[in-house]
Amino acid sequence: MVAEARRLADLWISTEMERLRSGGPEERAQELADLQAGIERQLLELPPEETGDPLPPMIPAAFKAHDPRRKQPAIVIVGAGVGGICMAVRLRQAGFTDITILEKAGEPGGTWHHNRYPGVACDVSSYYYCFSFHLNPGWSQMFAPGDEIRAYLQGVADTYGITPLIRFDSEVTSCTYEQDHWHIRLTGGRALDADILISAVGFLHVPHRPDIPGLDTFHGQAVHSTQWDPSLDPKELKIGVVGTGSSAVQIVSALAGKAESVSVFQRTPQWVFPYPNEHYSERRKQVLSRYPELMGRLFEFFAAWYNGEFGTAVVGNQDAQEVFRSACVANLETIRDEELRRKLTPDYPIMCKRLVFSSTYYRDLQDPSVHLVTEPVGKVVPEGIVTADGALHELDVLVLATGFKTHAFCRPLNISVAGGPSLEESWKDGAASFESVAVSGFPNLFVLGGPYSTVGNLSTMSCTELQTAYIMRLINALEDSGADAVVPRAEAQQRFVAEMQSHARDTIWLSGCKSWYLDANGTVTIWTRTPQEFRERMLRGPDLADFAFLPSCA
Ligand code: NAP
């Protein structure tokens, strides 16, 4: 059955490439939609009983159960978003019981809890943006809205008994490793100890609020995209949006024609891939609920597309790059006004920045209520934004869709080893990890979504799930060893970072643009090989020779 899904995915990819290279620009988006709908129909029409082998687990649980003769280690996970929930599910399934999740917010969901701006949605196909152990037939559309993803994560947390493990409103202020334990301090003077500390705070949680002169003088609301007040009625409001990344594009499309006006302050144009957001029928949801095997096929189908076509384009597959480039160029050609099209045409290679997915952005930018401003932002005054040419753009609300401090990773947790370096000091020349999940010098610290994780337009859920499988194997190895702590050897981490950096040279991210994939030194700190290689590395698990197992210092 999985082979059949792969066959259809391959067919889709090759046919799609062929179609994108031929045909008129206006027809291409529709062709894509038709093709996808056609293949999906084929998937849905395949009767399960004819191909009926049960699906193998997509991410095998290649870890052992906790040995009941051993003391339960106290495990603290920071963050109840995608990573924290997935990690806790894995640990509970293996019989670990002393698990605490510390969450600074009052609800689970992480990034999907915090981001409630208009139009918030995931631009990874919903059938793939889920855990392989909890597929969801109920998604309403190709790109699930934020509230559905929030509800999905809440559902996973409830179903697998994770919710009672979460301590909400618990913000971590520091984590210090001393005498075989992590001492974790929280706001309000609270504290707890752990044997194992797992950071699941990800990389999209520290807002980047730009240093625009006069920002504090604005008379209306000036909010980062993560701070949008969902009760705000945009009607009769003049709204300014700074930025043109994935968040801004969704916000602009959601507000076009609904607010009195929307001014989009663009510093750099983006490549925009016109992927249609198909709405899913009740009939489809019923069929998928009835035949979970079909859900598995769709998961495999989209995994093959994202990891194959997409994942190889960014690391040097020029044929795959051409598929995306020609679709984006065709999308640009739908803009009627030549001057507007010129302003929206990037001058750097496609996918150098994270590709924006939207089949509505260019249409909505041409709505009479929307104005693209390409003059640089000069300053903020009480009435609005003054651009470098001296023009005042009057605003009631200013949305800073200016992204995140993506290289902070888990630094806000103030992690350190007593008598040793802090993570901040260790990473002063750039964040590093060993195989994306552990950090040399920091015993019993595991990281989800840390340096050298696969990010970009891939599924964070899938990346996280793979990392948790690796971490489970490390925890198994730690228990087997009888040692108190495990930590990557410095030379292993240096070798891994050198491997990542040697492959970075082939990536599109170093082709001459600025993006959040690069740190302040211009270094790529995300996984630089193919997603398939990431999957294999995570599922292979740790080579124990790369780790030191530390005895108790008591
Ligand atoms: P982003 O991609 O980092 O975009 C930030 C935007 O703000 C850029 O256009 C940037 O311009 C602009 N900007 C930053 N500082 C500025 C300044 N001082 N003046 C003017 N413009 C400024 O941030 P994002 O859109 O929030 O997206 C971040 C990531 O979140 C995404 O890449 C994605 O991984 C995730 N996300 C995902 C989804 C999804 O659907 N899955 C949706 C939203 C976000 P420059 O390009 O010139 O730097």
Side-chain angles (χ1 to χ4, degrees):
M1 195 176 292
V2 172
E4 180 60 4
R6 288 216 176 95
R7 190 188 68 72
L8 284 169
D10 286 348
L11 174 71
W12 185 52
I13 289 165
S14 57
T15 323
E16 180 191 317
M17 284 175 73
E18 202 43 56
R19 288 202 183 209
L20 284 169
R21 286 182 186 133
S22 57
E26 315 78 34
E27 295 150 19
R28 287 177 181 163
Q30 191 52 48
E31 281 172 355
L32 261 181
D34 292 348
L35 191 58
Q36 185 214 316
I39 297 283
E40 285 200 22
R41 257 196 315 278
Q42 286 190 49
L43 287 168
L44 290 170
E45 280 166 11
L46 286 171
E49 55 279 10
E50 275 184 20
T51 47
D53 299 335
L55 270 182
M58 287 165 222
I59 299 195
F63 45 85
K64 291 188 298 190
H66 168 69
D67 181 346
R69 290 166 304 182
R70 291 179 192 278
K71 173 183 157 287
Q72 284 278 349
I75 302 175
V76 166
I77 300 170
V78 186
V82 168
I85 291 172
C86 183
M87 190 75 240
V89 170
R90 290 295 201 198
L91 286 163
R92 269 185 51 92
Q93 284 173 335
F96 291 89
T97 53
D98 191 350
I99 306 165
T100 306
I101 306 177
L102 301 173
E103 169 54 58
K104 70 179 176 186
E107 284 176 37
T111 205
W112 297 107
H113 164 76
H114 291 291
N115 283 275
R116 293 176 189 239
Y117 57 75
V120 61
C122 182
D123 60 10
V124 175
S125 165
S126 46
Y127 290 143
Y128 183 42
Y129 197 76
C130 51
F131 298 123
S132 71
F133 57 83
H134 197 86
L135 303 181
N136 178 19
W139 296 120
S140 68
Q141 54 200 55
M142 173 76 162
F143 300 120
D147 55 356
E148 278 184 36
I149 301 172
R150 222 167 30 247
Y152 168 82
L153 289 170
Q154 174 81 65
V156 174
D158 289 344
T159 306
Y160 297 87
I162 306 308
T163 308
L165 310 177
I166 307 174
R167 286 199 210 168
F168 293 108
D169 304 310
S170 298
E171 184 167 5
V172 172
T173 54
S174 70
C175 305
T176 310
Y177 189 77
E178 190 169 20
Q179 301 210 318
D180 310 329
H181 286 91
W182 282 101
H183 302 287
I184 300 158
R185 286 180 190 77
L186 310 173
T187 47
R190 293 168 294 163
L192 76 165
D193 282 359
D195 298 306
I196 293 172
L197 174 65
I198 302 174
S199 165
V201 299
F203 48 90
L204 295 175
H205 72 292
V206 184
H208 164 60
R209 203 177 154 89
D211 199 11
I212 304 174
L215 193 52
D216 294 337
T217 67
F218 184 57
H219 72 166
Q221 283 189 28
V223 291
H224 185 265
S225 48
T226 53
Q227 297 166 320
W228 174 271
D229 172 2
S231 67
L232 196 71
D233 181 0
K235 209 167 75 184
E236 296 175 16
L237 291 178
K238 297 189 205 70
I239 300 182
V241 179
V242 180
T244 51
S246 302
S247 304
V249 163
Q250 292 177 342
I251 294 169
V252 170
S253 267
L255 293 178
K258 300 215 176 65
E260 182 181 321
S261 68
V262 183
S263 302
V264 185
F265 295 88
Q266 170 185 285
R267 186 164 68 180
T268 314
Q270 294 270 7
W271 288 106
V272 181
F273 184 66
Y275 208 122
N277 186 12
E278 193 195 350
H279 285 249
Y280 295 147
S281 64
E282 287 308 311
R283 163 85 186 125
R284 173 196 291 254
K285 292 180 206 167
Q286 284 161 8
V287 170
L288 293 177
S289 315
R290 200 154 144 222
Y291 298 114
E293 311 88 58
L294 290 179
M295 267 313 301
R297 284 188 200 163
L298 285 174
F299 181 92
E300 284 286 331
F301 171 67
F302 284 104
W305 187 73
Y306 279 96
N307 292 332
E309 187 83 337
F310 204 96
T312 58
V314 288
V315 294
N317 178 347
Q318 296 195 352
D319 268 2
Q321 281 169 20
E322 185 50 28
V323 169
F324 292 98
R325 202 194 66 79
S326 54
C328 292
V329 168
N331 197 24
L332 272 168
E333 286 166 4
T334 62
I335 300 167
R336 293 180 300 273
D337 180 82
E338 219 170 284
E339 178 60 7
L340 181 63
R341 195 184 321 132
R342 189 188 60 72
K343 287 178 175 172
L344 288 166
T345 303
D347 64 357
Y348 54 87
I350 186 164
M351 297 167 125
C352 183
K353 286 176 185 282
R354 184 182 189 276
L355 191 57
V356 170
F357 276 53
S358 174
S359 57
T360 54
Y361 183 56
Y362 290 157
R363 182 200 68 196
D364 295 328
L365 273 180
Q366 295 172 86
D367 187 277
S369 67
V370 182
H371 315 286
L372 181 73
V373 181
T374 53
E375 273 294 320
V377 171
K379 62 180 175 184
V380 176
V381 293
E383 301 78 26
I385 283 183
V386 177
T387 42
D389 57 357
L392 168 65
H393 305 264
E394 286 187 23
L395 302 170
D396 302 309
V397 175
L398 178 52
V399 185
L400 303 165
T402 44
F404 298 85
K405 294 183 178 169
T406 50
H407 293 88
F409 296 110
C410 47
R411 282 187 247 218
L413 303 183
N414 286 317
I415 294 172
S416 61
V417 172
S422 65
L423 198 64
E424 190 66 50
E425 286 158 357
S426 281
W427 285 357
K428 68 180 185 323
D429 296 324
S433 70
F434 178 64
E435 304 212 314
S436 83
V437 294
V439 185
S440 170
F442 295 84
N444 284 1
L445 170 68
F446 306 123
V447 186
L448 294 163
Y452 298 112
S453 299
T454 49
V455 295
N457 297 76
L458 303 168
S459 168
T460 317
M461 301 248 189
S462 172
C463 170
T464 297
E465 209 181 323
L466 288 163
Q467 289 180 323
T468 57
Y470 186 113
I471 291 171
M472 290 305 302
R473 299 270 291 274
L474 258 184
I475 293 175
N476 287 155
L478 176 62
E479 289 212 307
D480 288 348
S481 72
D484 262 45
V486 59
V487 64
R489 296 184 187 280
E491 58 277 19
Q493 181 161 308
Q494 281 158 11
R495 192 190 65 231
F496 172 71
V497 170
E499 175 198 344
M500 287 292 102
Q501 290 308 322
S502 78
H503 285 274
R505 290 194 284 268
D506 302 327
T507 67
I508 195 91
W509 305 308
L510 288 179
S511 63
C513 73
K514 275 202 205 152
S515 78
W516 62 257
Y517 298 147
L518 308 180
D519 69 9
N521 305 318
T523 305
V524 181
T525 52
I526 60 178
W527 178 259
T528 56
R529 305 190 68 174
T530 64
Q532 182 57 26
E533 284 163 322
F534 183 76
R535 183 186 165 88
E536 285 163 11
R537 186 79 62 100
M538 291 299 104
L539 294 181
R540 185 196 69 196
D543 177 344
L544 300 186
D546 290 328
F547 291 85
F549 289 84
L550 311 177
S552 165
C553 62

